[in-house]
Amino acid sequence: MARFIGAILGAAHAANSGAAGSLTDPFFCNGRVARMLRDYFTGDVAQNDILSLGYVDWTTRFDPTLSVIEFTDFGTAITLDIGVAYIVNQNAAGAAACLLSGQDIATAAGSASPLKSVAIADRHKPLWQLAGYASAQAARAATVKDGGRAEVIATFKGGNPDAGTLSWSFYGSPQ
């Protein structure tokens, strides 16, 4: 049996406190994990509609374990992307799906991590890196109209979505 500590989330981390399963993500050891965004939306949407989930600082690191999105049936073959609003010529259009890409929301009810599409090795990265910016300063400069903050968005994809409910809770730590 092998025991690995640390390398999966960046810099090596000491060890656990002794209890099984009590490893702490090194980026949240300072006790600054907080609910960053939380709300819900109920309504009828159309293909490619964008829903603003809220604004956070570009240096935010989201906790993939605590954060969750929940949804009801939005119709056949409907998917959801979660990422940040992007500025043309500043970062890749893929930023709109940099956290979650193609989540099936056509089931009667379900839930998923909003960081489901982020590789495990990248989950420790701040939002500006996940969105494709060269630095936090570059991200802030590109979003001056939004106060230098990142707008987290959800985009409905697929045929013709029906009415449904989407709720979200993002936990994390602004660095």
Side-chain angles (χ1 to χ4, degrees), residues 3-96:
R3 182 170 180 244
F4 301 96
I5 299 174
I8 196 166
L9 290 172
H13 185 57
N16 66 20
S17 63
S22 64
L23 286 176
T24 304
D25 183 337
F27 292 98
F28 302 120
C29 288
N30 60 9
R32 293 176 54 207
V33 176
R35 186 173 63 216
M36 308 293 292
L37 303 170
R38 179 175 181 229
D39 210 342
Y40 72 94
F41 164 83
T42 298
D44 193 5
V45 295
Q47 184 176 7
N48 296 319
D49 274 358
I50 294 173
L51 174 63
S52 178
L53 305 183
Y55 289 84
V56 297
D57 190 79
W58 282 104
T59 60
T60 299
R61 288 181 168 95
F62 291 118
D63 184 312
T65 309
L66 298 175
S67 301
V68 67
I69 59 161
E70 297 176 304
F71 48 86
T72 60
D73 181 2
F74 275 91
T76 305
I78 307 304
T79 62
L80 185 74
D81 292 348
I82 295 181
V84 295
Y86 67 94
I87 310 302
V88 178
N89 298 326
Q90 293 292 327
N91 64 333

Coordinates of all heavy atoms in Angstrom, one line a residue, residues 3-96:
R3 N 1.4 5.4 0.2 CA 0.8 6.6 0.8 C 1.4 7.9 0.2 O 2.6 8.0 0.3 CB 1.0 6.6 2.3 CG 0.4 7.8 3.0 CD 0.5 7.5 4.5 NE -0.1 8.7 5.2 CZ 0.5 9.5 6.0 NH1 1.8 9.3 6.3 NH2 -0.1 10.5 6.6
F4 N 0.6 8.7 -0.4 CA 1.1 9.9 -1.0 C 0.6 11.1 -0.4 O -0.6 11.2 0.0 CB 0.7 9.9 -2.5 CG 1.3 8.8 -3.3 CD1 0.5 7.6 -3.5 CD2 2.6 8.7 -3.8 CE1 1.0 6.6 -4.2 CE2 3.1 7.7 -4.4 CZ 2.3 6.6 -4.7
I5 N 1.4 12.2 -0.1 CA 0.9 13.4 0.5 C 1.4 14.6 -0.3 O 2.6 14.7 -0.6 CB 1.5 13.5 1.9 CG1 0.9 12.3 2.8 CG2 1.0 14.8 2.6 CD1 1.5 12.3 4.1
G6 N 0.5 15.4 -0.7 CA 0.9 16.7 -1.2 C 1.0 17.0 -2.7 O 0.3 17.8 -3.2
A7 N 1.8 16.2 -3.4 CA 2.1 16.6 -4.8 C 0.9 16.8 -5.7 O 1.0 17.6 -6.6 CB 3.1 15.6 -5.4
I8 N -0.2 16.1 -5.4 CA -1.3 16.3 -6.3 C -1.9 17.7 -6.4 O -2.4 18.1 -7.3 CB -2.4 15.2 -5.9 CG1 -3.4 15.1 -7.1 CG2 -3.1 15.6 -4.6 CD1 -4.3 13.9 -6.9
L9 N -1.7 18.4 -5.3 CA -2.3 19.8 -5.2 C -1.2 20.9 -5.2 O -1.4 21.9 -4.6 CB -3.2 19.9 -4.1 CG -4.5 19.2 -4.2 CD1 -5.4 19.2 -3.0 CD2 -5.3 19.7 -5.4
G10 N 0.0 20.6 -5.7 CA 1.0 21.6 -5.7 C 2.1 21.3 -4.7 O 2.5 20.2 -4.6
A11 N 2.5 22.3 -3.9 CA 3.6 22.1 -3.0 C 3.3 21.0 -2.0 O 2.2 20.8 -1.6 CB 3.8 23.4 -2.2
A12 N 4.3 20.3 -1.6 CA 4.1 19.2 -0.6 C 3.5 19.8 0.7 O 3.8 20.9 1.1 CB 5.5 18.6 -0.3
H13 N 2.7 18.9 1.3 CA 2.0 19.3 2.5 C 2.4 18.4 3.6 O 2.5 17.2 3.3 CB 0.5 19.3 2.2 CG -0.4 19.7 3.3 ND1 -0.3 21.0 3.9 CD2 -1.4 19.1 4.0 CE1 -1.1 21.1 4.8 NE2 -1.8 20.0 4.9
A14 N 2.5 18.8 4.8 CA 3.0 18.0 5.9 C 2.4 16.6 5.9 O 2.8 15.8 5.2 CB 2.8 18.8 7.2
A15 N 1.4 16.4 6.8 CA 0.8 15.1 6.9 C -0.6 15.3 7.5 O -0.9 16.5 7.9 CB 1.6 14.1 7.7
N16 N -1.4 14.3 7.6 CA -2.7 14.5 8.1 C -2.6 14.5 9.7 O -1.5 14.3 10.2 CB -3.7 13.5 7.7 CG -3.4 12.1 8.1 OD1 -2.6 11.9 9.1 ND2 -3.9 11.1 7.4
S17 N -3.7 14.9 10.3 CA -3.7 15.0 11.7 C -3.8 13.7 12.5 O -3.9 13.7 13.7 CB -4.8 16.0 12.2 OG -6.0 15.4 11.8
G18 N -3.9 12.7 11.7 CA -4.0 11.3 12.3 C -5.3 10.6 12.0 O -5.3 9.4 11.8
A19 N -6.3 11.4 11.9 CA -7.6 10.7 11.6 C -7.7 10.4 10.1 O -7.2 11.2 9.3 CB -8.8 11.7 11.9
A20 N -8.3 9.3 9.8 CA -8.4 8.9 8.4 C -9.2 9.9 7.6 O -10.2 10.4 8.1 CB -9.0 7.5 8.3
G21 N -8.7 10.3 6.4 CA -9.5 11.2 5.6 C -9.4 12.7 6.1 O -10.2 13.5 5.6
S22 N -8.5 13.0 6.9 CA -8.5 14.4 7.4 C -7.4 15.3 6.7 O -7.0 16.3 7.3 CB -8.3 14.4 8.9 OG -7.0 13.9 9.2
L23 N -7.0 14.9 5.6 CA -6.0 15.7 4.8 C -6.7 17.0 4.5 O -7.8 17.1 4.1 CB -5.5 15.0 3.6 CG -4.5 13.9 3.8 CD1 -4.2 13.2 2.4 CD2 -3.3 14.4 4.4
T24 N -6.0 18.1 4.6 CA -6.5 19.4 4.3 C -5.8 20.0 3.1 O -4.6 19.9 3.0 CB -6.3 20.4 5.5 OG1 -6.8 19.8 6.6 CG2 -6.9 21.7 5.2
D25 N -6.6 20.5 2.1 CA -6.0 21.2 1.0 C -5.1 22.3 1.4 O -5.5 23.1 2.2 CB -7.2 21.7 0.1 CG -6.7 22.4 -1.2 OD1 -5.5 22.8 -1.2 OD2 -7.5 22.4 -2.1
P26 N -3.8 22.3 1.0 CA -2.9 23.3 1.5 C -3.3 24.7 1.2 O -2.9 25.6 1.9 CB -1.6 22.9 0.8 CG -1.9 22.0 -0.2 CD -3.2 21.4 0.1
F27 N -4.1 25.0 0.2 CA -4.5 26.3 -0.1 C -5.6 26.8 0.9 O -5.9 28.0 0.9 CB -5.0 26.4 -1.5 CG -3.8 26.2 -2.5 CD1 -3.6 25.0 -3.0 CD2 -2.9 27.2 -2.7 CE1 -2.5 24.8 -3.9 CE2 -1.8 27.1 -3.5 CZ -1.6 25.8 -4.1
F28 N -6.2 25.9 1.6 CA -7.3 26.4 2.5 C -6.9 26.1 4.0 O -7.8 26.2 4.8 CB -8.6 25.6 2.2 CG -9.0 25.8 0.8 CD1 -9.2 24.8 -0.1 CD2 -9.3 27.1 0.3 CE1 -9.6 25.0 -1.4 CE2 -9.7 27.3 -1.0 CZ -9.8 26.3 -1.9
C29 N -5.7 25.9 4.3 CA -5.2 25.6 5.6 C -5.4 26.8 6.5 O -5.4 26.7 7.7 CB -3.8 25.1 5.7 SG -3.6 23.4 5.0
N30 N -5.4 28.0 5.9 CA -5.5 29.2 6.7 C -6.9 29.5 7.3 O -7.1 30.5 7.9 CB -5.0 30.4 5.9 CG -5.9 30.6 4.6 OD1 -6.9 30.0 4.5 ND2 -5.4 31.5 3.8
G31 N -7.8 28.6 7.0 CA -9.2 28.7 7.6 C -10.0 29.8 6.9 O -11.0 30.2 7.4
R32 N -9.6 30.2 5.7 CA -10.3 31.3 5.0 C -11.2 30.7 3.9 O -11.6 31.4 3.0 CB -9.3 32.2 4.3 CG -8.5 33.0 5.3 CD -7.4 33.8 4.7 NE -8.0 34.7 3.7 CZ -7.3 35.2 2.6 NH1 -6.1 34.9 2.4 NH2 -7.9 36.0 1.7
V33 N -11.7 29.5 4.0 CA -12.6 29.0 3.1 C -14.0 29.6 3.4 O -14.4 29.6 4.6 CB -12.8 27.4 3.2 CG1 -13.9 26.9 2.3 CG2 -11.5 26.8 2.8
A34 N -14.6 30.2 2.5 CA -15.9 30.9 2.7 C -16.8 30.6 1.5 O -16.3 30.3 0.4 CB -15.6 32.4 2.9
R35 N -18.1 30.8 1.7 CA -19.0 30.7 0.6 C -18.9 32.0 -0.2 O -19.0 33.1 0.3 CB -20.5 30.6 1.1 CG -21.4 30.4 0.0 CD -22.8 30.1 0.4 NE -23.3 31.2 1.2 CZ -24.1 31.1 2.2 NH1 -24.5 29.9 2.7 NH2 -24.6 32.2 2.8
M36 N -18.5 31.8 -1.5 CA -18.2 33.0 -2.3 C -19.4 33.4 -3.1 O -19.7 34.6 -3.3 CB -17.1 32.6 -3.3 CG -15.8 32.0 -2.7 SD -14.9 33.2 -1.7 CE -14.3 34.3 -2.9
L37 N -20.2 32.5 -3.6 CA -21.4 32.7 -4.4 C -22.4 31.7 -4.0 O -22.2 30.6 -3.8 CB -21.1 32.5 -5.9 CG -19.9 33.3 -6.6 CD1 -19.6 32.8 -8.0 CD2 -20.3 34.8 -6.6
R38 N -23.7 32.2 -4.0 CA -24.8 31.3 -3.7 C -26.1 32.0 -4.1 O -26.3 33.1 -3.8 CB -24.9 31.0 -2.2 CG -26.0 30.1 -1.9 CD -26.1 29.6 -0.5 NE -27.2 28.7 -0.2 CZ -28.0 28.9 0.7 NH1 -27.9 29.9 1.6 NH2 -29.0 28.0 0.9
D39 N -26.9 31.3 -4.9 CA -28.1 31.8 -5.3 C -28.9 30.7 -6.1 O -28.4 29.6 -6.2 CB -27.9 33.1 -6.2 CG -29.1 34.0 -6.1 OD1 -30.2 33.6 -5.6 OD2 -28.9 35.2 -6.5
Y40 N -30.0 31.1 -6.7 CA -30.7 30.1 -7.6 C -31.4 30.9 -8.6 O -31.7 32.1 -8.5 CB -31.6 29.2 -6.8 CG -32.9 29.9 -6.3 CD1 -34.1 29.9 -7.0 CD2 -32.8 30.6 -5.0 CE1 -35.2 30.6 -6.5 CE2 -34.0 31.2 -4.6 CZ -35.1 31.2 -5.3 OH -36.2 31.9 -4.8
F41 N -31.8 30.2 -9.7 CA -32.5 30.8 -10.8 C -33.6 29.8 -11.2 O -33.3 28.6 -11.4 CB -31.5 31.0 -12.0 CG -32.2 31.3 -13.3 CD1 -32.7 32.5 -13.6 CD2 -32.4 30.2 -14.2 CE1 -33.3 32.7 -14.9 CE2 -33.0 30.4 -15.4 CZ -33.5 31.7 -15.8
T42 N -34.8 30.3 -11.4 CA -35.8 29.5 -12.0 C -36.4 30.2 -13.2 O -36.7 31.4 -13.0 CB -36.9 29.2 -10.9 OG1 -36.4 28.5 -9.8 CG2 -38.1 28.4 -11.5
G43 N -36.5 29.6 -14.3 CA -37.1 30.2 -15.4 C -36.9 29.5 -16.7 O -36.3 28.4 -16.7
D44 N -37.5 30.0 -17.8 CA -37.4 29.4 -19.1 C -36.2 30.1 -19.8 O -36.0 31.3 -19.8 CB -38.7 29.7 -19.9 CG -38.8 28.9 -21.1 OD1 -38.0 28.0 -21.4 OD2 -39.8 29.2 -21.9
V45 N -35.3 29.2 -20.4 CA -34.1 29.8 -21.0 C -34.1 29.3 -22.5 O -34.8 28.4 -22.9 CB -32.8 29.3 -20.3 CG1 -32.7 29.8 -18.9 CG2 -32.8 27.7 -20.3
A46 N -33.3 30.0 -23.3 CA -33.1 29.6 -24.7 C -31.7 29.2 -24.9 O -30.8 29.4 -24.0 CB -33.4 30.8 -25.6
Q47 N -31.4 28.5 -26.0 CA -30.1 28.0 -26.3 C -29.1 29.2 -26.3 O -29.4 30.3 -26.8 CB -30.1 27.4 -27.7 CG -28.8 26.8 -28.1 CD -28.9 26.1 -29.4 OE1 -29.8 26.1 -30.1 NE2 -27.8 25.4 -29.8
N48 N -28.0 29.0 -25.7 CA -26.9 30.0 -25.6 C -27.2 31.1 -24.6 O -26.4 32.1 -24.6 CB -26.4 30.5 -26.9 CG -25.8 29.4 -27.7 OD1 -25.1 28.6 -27.2 ND2 -26.1 29.4 -29.0
D49 N -28.3 31.1 -23.8 CA -28.5 32.1 -22.8 C -27.4 32.0 -21.8 O -26.9 30.9 -21.4 CB -29.9 31.8 -22.1 CG -31.0 32.5 -22.9 OD1 -30.8 33.2 -23.9 OD2 -32.2 32.3 -22.4
I50 N -27.0 33.1 -21.3 CA -26.0 33.2 -20.2 C -26.6 33.7 -18.9 O -27.3 34.7 -18.9 CB -24.8 34.1 -20.7 CG1 -24.1 33.5 -21.9 CG2 -23.9 34.4 -19.6 CD1 -23.1 34.4 -22.5
L51 N -26.3 33.0 -17.8 CA -26.7 33.4 -16.5 C -25.5 33.8 -15.7 O -24.6 33.1 -15.6 CB -27.4 32.2 -15.9 CG -27.9 32.3 -14.4 CD1 -28.9 33.4 -14.3 CD2 -28.4 31.0 -14.0
S52 N -25.6 35.0 -15.2 CA -24.5 35.5 -14.3 C -24.6 34.9 -12.9 O -25.7 35.1 -12.3 CB -24.5 37.0 -14.2 OG -23.5 37.5 -13.3
L53 N -23.6 34.2 -12.5 CA -23.7 33.6 -11.1 C -23.1 34.5 -10.1 O -23.3 34.2 -8.9 CB -22.9 32.2 -11.2 CG -23.4 31.2 -12.2 CD1 -22.6 29.9 -12.1 CD2 -24.8 31.0 -12.2
G54 N -22.4 35.5 -10.5 CA -21.8 36.5 -9.5 C -20.4 36.9 -9.9 O -19.8 36.4 -10.9
Y55 N -19.8 37.7 -9.0 CA -18.5 38.2 -9.3 C -17.6 37.8 -8.1 O -18.0 37.9 -6.9 CB -18.5 39.8 -9.3 CG -19.2 40.3 -10.6 CD1 -20.5 40.4 -10.7 CD2 -18.4 40.6 -11.7 CE1 -21.1 40.9 -11.8 CE2 -19.0 41.1 -12.9 CZ -20.4 41.2 -12.9 OH -21.0 41.7 -14.0
V56 N -16.3 37.5 -8.5 CA -15.3 37.2 -7.5 C -14.0 37.8 -7.9 O -13.8 38.2 -9.1 CB -15.1 35.6 -7.3 CG1 -16.4 35.0 -6.7 CG2 -14.7 35.0 -8.6
D57 N -13.0 37.8 -7.0 CA -11.7 38.3 -7.4 C -11.0 37.3 -8.2 O -11.2 36.0 -8.1 CB -10.9 38.6 -6.1 CG -9.6 39.3 -6.4 OD1 -9.6 40.5 -6.6 OD2 -8.5 38.6 -6.5
W58 N -10.1 37.7 -9.1 CA -9.4 36.8 -10.0 C -8.5 35.9 -9.3 O -8.1 34.8 -9.8 CB -8.7 37.6 -11.1 CG -9.6 38.1 -12.2 CD1 -10.0 39.4 -12.3 CD2 -10.1 37.4 -13.3 NE1 -10.8 39.5 -13.4 CE2 -10.9 38.3 -14.0 CE3 -10.1 36.0 -13.6 CZ2 -11.6 37.9 -15.2 CZ3 -10.7 35.6 -14.8 CH2 -11.5 36.5 -15.5
T59 N -8.1 36.2 -8.1 CA -7.2 35.3 -7.4 C -7.9 34.2 -6.6 O -7.2 33.4 -5.9 CB -6.3 36.1 -6.4 OG1 -7.2 36.8 -5.5 CG2 -5.4 37.1 -7.1
T60 N -9.2 34.1 -6.7 CA -10.0 33.1 -6.0 C -9.6 31.7 -6.4 O -9.4 31.4 -7.6 CB -11.5 33.4 -6.2 OG1 -11.8 34.7 -5.7 CG2 -12.3 32.3 -5.5
R61 N -9.5 30.9 -5.4 CA -9.3 29.4 -5.6 C -10.6 28.8 -5.1 O -10.9 28.9 -3.9 CB -8.1 28.9 -4.9 CG -6.8 29.3 -5.5 CD -5.6 28.7 -4.8 NE -4.4 28.9 -5.5 CZ -3.5 29.9 -5.3 NH1 -3.8 30.8 -4.4 NH2 -2.4 29.9 -6.0
F62 N -11.3 28.1 -5.9 CA -12.6 27.4 -5.5 C -12.3 26.1 -4.9 O -11.4 25.3 -5.3 CB -13.6 27.3 -6.6 CG -14.1 28.6 -7.1 CD1 -13.9 29.0 -8.4 CD2 -14.9 29.4 -6.3 CE1 -14.4 30.2 -8.9 CE2 -15.4 30.6 -6.8 CZ -15.2 31.0 -8.1
D63 N -13.1 25.7 -3.9 CA -13.0 24.4 -3.3 C -13.9 23.4 -4.1 O -15.1 23.6 -4.1 CB -13.4 24.4 -1.8 CG -13.2 23.1 -1.1 OD1 -13.6 22.1 -1.7 OD2 -12.7 23.1 0.0
P64 N -13.3 22.4 -4.8 CA -14.1 21.5 -5.6 C -14.9 20.5 -4.8 O -15.8 19.9 -5.3 CB -13.0 20.8 -6.4 CG -11.8 20.8 -5.6 CD -11.9 22.1 -4.8
T65 N -14.6 20.4 -3.5 CA -15.4 19.4 -2.7 C -16.6 20.0 -2.1 O -17.7 19.4 -2.2 CB -14.5 18.9 -1.6 OG1 -13.2 18.5 -2.1 CG2 -15.1 17.8 -0.8
L66 N -16.6 21.2 -1.7 CA -17.7 21.9 -1.1 C -18.6 22.5 -2.1 O -19.8 22.6 -1.9 CB -17.3 22.9 0.0 CG -16.5 22.4 1.1 CD1 -16.0 23.6 2.0 CD2 -17.3 21.5 2.0
S67 N -18.1 23.0 -3.2 CA -18.9 23.8 -4.2 C -19.8 22.8 -4.9 O -19.4 21.7 -5.2 CB -17.9 24.4 -5.2 OG -17.1 25.3 -4.5
V68 N -21.0 23.3 -5.3 CA -21.9 22.4 -5.9 C -22.9 23.2 -6.8 O -23.2 24.4 -6.4 CB -22.7 21.5 -4.9 CG1 -23.6 22.4 -4.0 CG2 -23.5 20.4 -5.6
I69 N -23.4 22.6 -7.9 CA -24.5 23.1 -8.6 C -25.6 22.1 -8.6 O -25.3 20.9 -8.6 CB -24.2 23.5 -10.1 CG1 -23.6 22.3 -10.9 CG2 -23.2 24.7 -10.1 CD1 -23.7 22.5 -12.3
E70 N -26.8 22.5 -8.5 CA -27.9 21.6 -8.5 C -28.9 22.1 -9.6 O -29.0 23.2 -9.8 CB -28.6 21.5 -7.2 CG -27.7 21.0 -6.1 CD -28.3 21.0 -4.7 OE1 -28.8 22.1 -4.3 OE2 -28.4 20.0 -4.1
F71 N -29.6 21.1 -10.2 CA -30.5 21.5 -11.3 C -31.7 20.6 -11.4 O -31.6 19.4 -10.9 CB -29.7 21.4 -12.7 CG -28.9 20.2 -12.8 CD1 -29.5 19.0 -13.4 CD2 -27.6 20.1 -12.4 CE1 -28.7 17.9 -13.5 CE2 -26.8 19.0 -12.6 CZ -27.4 17.8 -13.1
T72 N -32.7 21.1 -12.1 CA -33.9 20.2 -12.4 C -33.8 20.0 -13.9 O -32.9 20.6 -14.6 CB -35.2 20.9 -12.0 OG1 -35.3 22.2 -12.7 CG2 -35.3 21.1 -10.5
D73 N -34.8 19.3 -14.5 CA -34.8 19.0 -15.9 C -35.0 20.2 -16.7 O -36.1 20.9 -16.7 CB -35.9 18.0 -16.1 CG -36.1 17.5 -17.5 OD1 -35.3 18.0 -18.4 OD2 -37.0 16.8 -17.8
F74 N -34.0 20.6 -17.6 CA -34.1 21.7 -18.5 C -34.5 21.2 -19.9 O -34.6 22.1 -20.8 CB -32.8 22.5 -18.5 CG -32.7 23.5 -17.4 CD1 -32.1 23.2 -16.2 CD2 -33.2 24.8 -17.6 CE1 -32.0 24.2 -15.2 CE2 -33.1 25.8 -16.6 CZ -32.5 25.5 -15.4
G75 N -34.8 20.0 -20.1 CA -35.2 19.5 -21.4 C -34.2 18.5 -22.0 O -33.1 18.4 -21.5
T76 N -34.6 17.8 -23.1 CA -33.8 16.8 -23.7 C -32.6 17.4 -24.3 O -32.6 18.5 -25.0 CB -34.7 16.1 -24.8 OG1 -35.8 15.6 -24.2 CG2 -33.9 15.0 -25.5
A77 N -31.4 16.8 -24.1 CA -30.2 17.1 -24.8 C -29.6 18.5 -24.4 O -29.0 19.1 -25.2 CB -30.2 16.9 -26.3
I78 N -29.9 19.0 -23.2 CA -29.5 20.3 -22.8 C -28.2 20.1 -21.9 O -28.2 19.3 -21.0 CB -30.6 21.0 -22.0 CG1 -31.8 21.1 -22.9 CG2 -30.1 22.4 -21.6 CD1 -31.7 21.7 -24.2
T79 N -27.2 20.9 -22.1 CA -26.0 20.9 -21.3 C -25.7 22.3 -20.7 O -26.3 23.3 -21.2 CB -24.8 20.4 -22.1 OG1 -24.5 21.2 -23.2 CG2 -25.0 18.9 -22.6
L80 N -24.8 22.3 -19.8 CA -24.5 23.6 -19.1 C -22.9 23.7 -19.1 O -22.2 22.7 -18.8 CB -25.0 23.5 -17.7 CG -24.9 24.8 -16.9 CD1 -25.8 25.9 -17.3 CD2 -25.1 24.5 -15.4
D81 N -22.5 24.9 -19.4 CA -21.1 25.3 -19.2 C -21.0 26.3 -18.1 O -21.8 27.1 -18.0 CB -20.5 25.9 -20.5 CG -20.4 24.9 -21.6 OD1 -20.5 23.7 -21.4 OD2 -20.2 25.4 -22.8
I82 N -19.9 26.2 -17.3 CA -19.6 27.2 -16.3 C -18.2 27.7 -16.4 O -17.3 26.9 -16.6 CB -19.9 26.7 -14.9 CG1 -21.4 26.4 -14.7 CG2 -19.4 27.7 -13.8 CD1 -21.7 25.8 -13.3
G83 N -18.0 29.0 -16.4 CA -16.7 29.6 -16.5 C -16.8 31.1 -16.2 O -17.6 31.5 -15.4
V84 N -16.0 31.9 -16.9 CA -16.0 33.3 -16.7 C -16.3 34.0 -18.0 O -16.0 33.5 -19.1 CB -14.7 33.8 -16.1 CG1 -14.5 33.3 -14.7 CG2 -13.5 33.5 -17.0
A85 N -16.9 35.2 -17.9 CA -17.2 36.0 -19.1 C -15.8 36.4 -19.6 O -14.9 36.7 -18.9 CB -18.0 37.2 -18.7
Y86 N -15.7 36.3 -20.9 CA -14.4 36.6 -21.5 C -14.4 37.9 -22.3 O -15.5 38.3 -22.8 CB -13.9 35.4 -22.3 CG -14.7 35.1 -23.6 CD1 -14.3 35.6 -24.8 CD2 -15.8 34.3 -23.5 CE1 -15.0 35.4 -25.9 CE2 -16.5 34.0 -24.6 CZ -16.1 34.6 -25.8 OH -16.8 34.3 -27.0
I87 N -13.3 38.5 -22.5 CA -13.1 39.7 -23.3 C -12.4 39.3 -24.6 O -11.4 38.7 -24.6 CB -12.2 40.7 -22.5 CG1 -12.7 40.9 -21.1 CG2 -12.2 42.0 -23.3 CD1 -14.1 41.4 -21.0
V88 N -13.1 39.6 -25.7 CA -12.5 39.2 -27.0 C -11.1 39.8 -27.1 O -10.8 40.9 -26.7 CB -13.4 39.8 -28.1 CG1 -12.8 39.4 -29.5 CG2 -14.8 39.2 -28.0
N89 N -10.2 39.0 -27.6 CA -8.8 39.3 -27.8 C -8.0 39.4 -26.5 O -6.9 39.8 -26.5 CB -8.6 40.6 -28.6 CG -9.2 40.5 -30.0 OD1 -9.1 39.4 -30.6 ND2 -9.7 41.5 -30.6
Q90 N -8.6 39.1 -25.4 CA -7.9 39.2 -24.1 C -7.6 37.7 -23.6 O -6.6 37.5 -23.0 CB -8.7 40.0 -23.1 CG -8.8 41.4 -23.4 CD -7.4 42.1 -23.3 OE1 -6.6 41.8 -22.5 NE2 -7.2 43.1 -24.2
N91 N -8.6 36.9 -23.7 CA -8.4 35.5 -23.3 C -9.3 34.6 -24.2 O -10.1 35.1 -24.9 CB -8.7 35.3 -21.8 CG -10.2 35.6 -21.5 OD1 -10.8 36.3 -22.1 ND2 -10.6 35.0 -20.4
A92 N -9.1 33.3 -24.1 CA -9.7 32.4 -25.0 C -11.2 32.3 -24.7 O -11.7 32.4 -23.6 CB -9.1 31.0 -24.8
A93 N -12.0 32.1 -25.8 CA -13.4 31.9 -25.7 C -13.7 30.7 -24.8 O -14.8 30.6 -24.2 CB -14.0 31.7 -27.1
G94 N -12.8 29.8 -24.7 CA -13.0 28.6 -23.8 C -13.1 29.0 -22.3 O -13.5 28.2 -21.5
A95 N -12.8 30.2 -22.0 CA -12.9 30.7 -20.6 C -14.4 30.6 -20.1 O -14.6 30.4 -18.9 CB -12.5 32.1 -20.4
A96 N -15.3 30.6 -21.0 CA -16.8 30.5 -20.7 C -17.1 29.1 -20.2 O -18.2 28.9 -19.6 CB -17.6 30.9 -21.8

